[in-house]
Amino acid sequence: MMRTVISKATTLALISMLALPLAALGQTQVKAPKNPYNPDKDVQLGREAAAEVERQLPLINDHEVEEYVAGVGRRLVSAIPREFQNPAFRYSLKVVDARDINAFALPGGFSYVNRGLIEAAQNEGELAGVIAHEFSHVALRHGTAQVAKAQKYSILGALGQVAGAVIGGAAGGAVSQGSQLGVGAYFLRFSREYEKEADILGSHIMANAGYDPRDLANMFRTIERQSGSGGPQWLSSHPNPGNRYEYITREAEMLNVSDPIRITADFSHVRAILRDLPRARSIQEIAQGRQRNPAGNQPRGQDRVDYPSYRYRSYDGAGFQVSVPDNWRELNNNNELTFAPAGGYDDIQGRSVVTHGVMVGITRATGRNLSQATDQYLNSLSQGNPSLRQQTGFQRGSISGQDALAVTCSNVSEASGGPEIVMIYTTLLRNGELFYMIGVAPQEEYRTYQPVFQRVLNSIRFN
């Protein structure tokens, strides 16, 4: 008979494995994606984006609501597995006074939950589940990992667009045109791979904090059942990886949380407080109702400029197609296609001077060198705009699959007299002509319009 010899080390290993709970042996492993950025960059970008969020969106100003939600957040942060804890991150959680069912987290931990999500949750576990999912995006550094990928494709530096990329949906629209991001269709939202990672890690965080991950699965079902702006908004930036309810439920069975936290007195009390508040607006209503009146920087005779619409429509130019927000008007501006929102342009001596919008056209070029042709075009623009100053060198990218350049310029608006940012994009066509697109926005509103310009640019197709 052959005898099997088991070493002391092997015996100890077997004993250690048997000592582990069965759930620990069976739960799905999660690994953070590659990320070239230092975690301090997450915090920097998140802090900048959070400042913009809080400038654009109304927050609940009630101490009991704020403290309750922050308390749930602290409980979940302490339950993040050690390998995903990052001492540089600054987790916080605030409540947006909007009725849409949504939550979002910015790099570095700056996070927000809509009032509508609290009102839709059936218990504290469902609310905690969505927060745990969002915190998982932070812990796994999905925001900056996604931006790192986007830089390969975007004609602009994608870091400046991280707020919209992470927020997504209509909430992001109030910050940076929402799901209409400036980094190409692949980066309009978290990938399904990232979503599943956040689902799995979120379920682990929930279990560690004493919540049942099945409540996260149930909340996703509630979101998917929603009609109107609530469900589709959240799903636009958090796509369903497929079988979401099933795999979260399986994970919950392996985690096996006994006596989970569900209905709490604080949860019920906060819901009662929210019921007594005035009806919350939707994010779209908030965006449409915000007054656009930066001091000294409005077109004459206008007191507001409408936010770019979330819906786009297509136009045909001479040899190309382009899509713009459907609340932008087509203006008669010589041989260019010019688009601007109401209040975003002024008529000066029979010319439409744009303060918010884009101009798209084709002009003659000398030679086949894109850099030289772009230099010549910039010189021609400067003749009619003496205050135009180039602020950056040429950034390389593509337009409709063709090599392209982008350059950022500053200018003094002829209409308002205030400082503005002018983005210029160019590419050479096969017939030797130079195609260009110009995006214009007041300096203090540029961060809002930059993703819109990129979305318009990404829509361009040459015939």
Side-chain angles (χ1 to χ4, degrees):
M1 179 184 294
M2 184 174 65
R3 300 175 63 185
T4 301
V5 179
I6 301 178
S7 69
K8 182 178 181 181
T10 303
T11 303
L12 290 174
L14 288 171
I15 293 172
S16 297
M17 290 180 67
L18 291 172
L20 289 172
L22 293 177
L25 297 176
Q27 69 186 42
T28 306
Q29 298 301 306
V30 181
K31 184 178 180 181
K34 293 181 179 179
N35 194 320
Y37 298 112
N38 187 289
D40 290 338
K41 177 61 72 175
D42 292 56
V43 177
Q44 175 195 337
L45 293 173
R47 182 179 289 113
E48 292 173 357
E52 184 70 9
V53 167
E54 293 179 27
R55 189 178 75 84
Q56 304 272 11
L57 299 178
L59 300 181
I60 291 283
N61 184 23
D62 182 282
H63 175 72
E64 289 183 287
V65 175
E66 293 172 323
E67 183 54 35
Y68 166 71
V69 173
V72 173
R74 288 191 294 270
R75 185 183 188 98
L76 292 169
V77 169
S78 66
I80 296 173
R82 183 179 302 173
E83 64 268 31
F84 299 115
Q85 292 277 1
N86 197 311
F89 287 178
R90 300 289 182 266
Y91 285 93
S92 63
L93 194 59
K94 298 182 181 180
V95 182
V96 178
D97 192 14
R99 72 167 181 264
D100 311 72
I101 300 177
N102 198 24
F104 57 91
L106 300 171
F110 306 88
S111 308
Y112 301 84
V113 57
N114 280 9
R115 169 181 167 183
L117 178 65
I118 303 173
E119 294 173 325
Q122 298 300 306
N123 57 54
E124 184 173 300
E126 292 189 358
L127 171 63
V130 175
I131 297 171
H133 174 98
E134 297 299 338
F135 282 179
S136 296
H137 283 305
V138 175
L140 293 167
R141 305 186 62 208
H142 283 160
T144 47
Q146 182 164 268
V147 167
K149 292 182 181 180
Q151 283 190 307
K152 300 177 184 178
Y153 301 92
S154 175
I155 198 168
L156 293 174
L159 288 177
Q161 302 163 16
V162 70
V166 175
I167 299 170
V175 179
S176 57
Q177 193 51 26
S179 61
Q180 320 303 348
L181 306 184
V183 291
Y186 181 75
F187 304 103
L188 300 186
R189 56 190 183 182
F190 283 128
S191 68
R192 285 174 170 79
E193 176 188 5
Y194 285 178
E195 279 302 293
K196 187 167 186 178
E197 290 173 355
D199 288 344
I200 297 300
L201 181 58
S203 68
H204 297 175
I205 293 171
M206 289 185 72
N208 291 344
Y211 296 103
D212 187 345
R214 292 178 182 85
D215 285 330
L216 174 59
N218 291 333
M219 193 66 209
F220 281 142
R221 278 197 166 175
T222 297
I223 291 170
E224 290 174 346
R225 284 197 301 264
Q226 293 298 313
S227 59
S229 62
Q233 177 194 337
W234 196 88
L235 293 173
S236 69
S237 55
H238 297 75
N240 190 335
N243 299 318
R244 177 175 245 160
Y245 180 88
E246 289 78 7
Y247 68 69
I248 293 175
T249 300
R250 286 196 302 271
E251 199 73 19
E253 291 171 354
M254 290 186 288
L255 294 166
N256 191 26
V257 179
S258 60
D259 193 22
I261 302 168
R262 284 202 166 94
I263 298 293
T264 66
D266 287 341
F267 174 78
S268 300
H269 179 60
V270 164
R271 296 240 306 175
I273 292 174
L274 295 178
R275 281 196 300 269
D276 290 338
L277 294 179
R279 173 184 175 273
R281 293 175 293 168
S282 69
I283 287 292
Q284 187 168 1
E285 289 170 340
I286 293 167
Q288 291 173 347
R290 286 194 72 254
Q291 295 297 311
R292 311 289 293 213
N293 190 22
N297 197 32
Q298 284 291 351
R300 292 194 299 270
Q302 297 289 346
D303 61 0
R304 62 169 290 172
V305 177
D306 290 339
Y307 267 105
S309 170
Y310 306 133
R311 296 184 297 273
Y312 279 58
R313 58 182 174 183
S314 298
Y315 289 85
D316 290 325
F320 64 90
Q321 291 181 324
V322 64
S323 296
V324 300
D326 70 359
N327 64 337
W328 286 14
R329 304 176 184 178
E330 182 180 1
L331 308 177
N332 183 11
N333 214 16
N334 298 324
N335 296 322
E336 294 176 330
L337 279 178
T338 301
F339 305 95
Y345 61 93
D346 201 357
D347 289 327
I348 298 179
Q349 297 179 352
R351 296 179 296 110
S352 293
V353 177
V354 174
T355 61
H356 306 65
V358 298
M359 290 148 277
V360 187
I362 297 173
T363 187
R364 295 181 60 183
T366 303
R368 298 292 299 172
N369 184 288
L370 177 57
S371 296
Q372 291 178 358
T374 303
D375 270 329
Q376 292 171 358
Y377 181 62
L378 288 174
N379 289 334
S380 69
L381 284 180
S382 297
Q383 293 176 11
N385 300 271
S387 299
L388 190 70
R389 298 287 185 273
Q390 186 173 334
Q391 298 297 310
T392 67
F394 293 151
Q395 301 178 26
R396 296 197 171 273
S398 66
I399 299 176
S400 190
Q402 300 183 188
D403 290 339
L405 296 176
V407 61
T408 305
C409 299
S410 63
N411 193 34
V412 176
S413 172
E414 187 178 358
S416 69
E420 63 185 7
I421 301 296
V422 180
M423 283 299 308
I424 301 168
Y425 314 84
T426 60
T427 189
L428 282 172
L429 302 179
R430 293 178 181 176
N431 62 5
E433 293 181 312
L434 185 73
F435 173 88
Y436 64 87
M437 188 190 104
I438 302 173
V440 181
Q443 180 174 296
E444 61 265 46
E445 298 182 67
Y446 175 64
R447 289 180 62 186
T448 297
Y449 278 82
Q450 181 188 35
V452 184
F453 298 156
Q454 189 70 43
R455 167 77 189 274
V456 173
L457 186 78
N458 291 343
S459 74
I460 292 169
R461 295 293 180 268
F462 298 121
N463 296 336

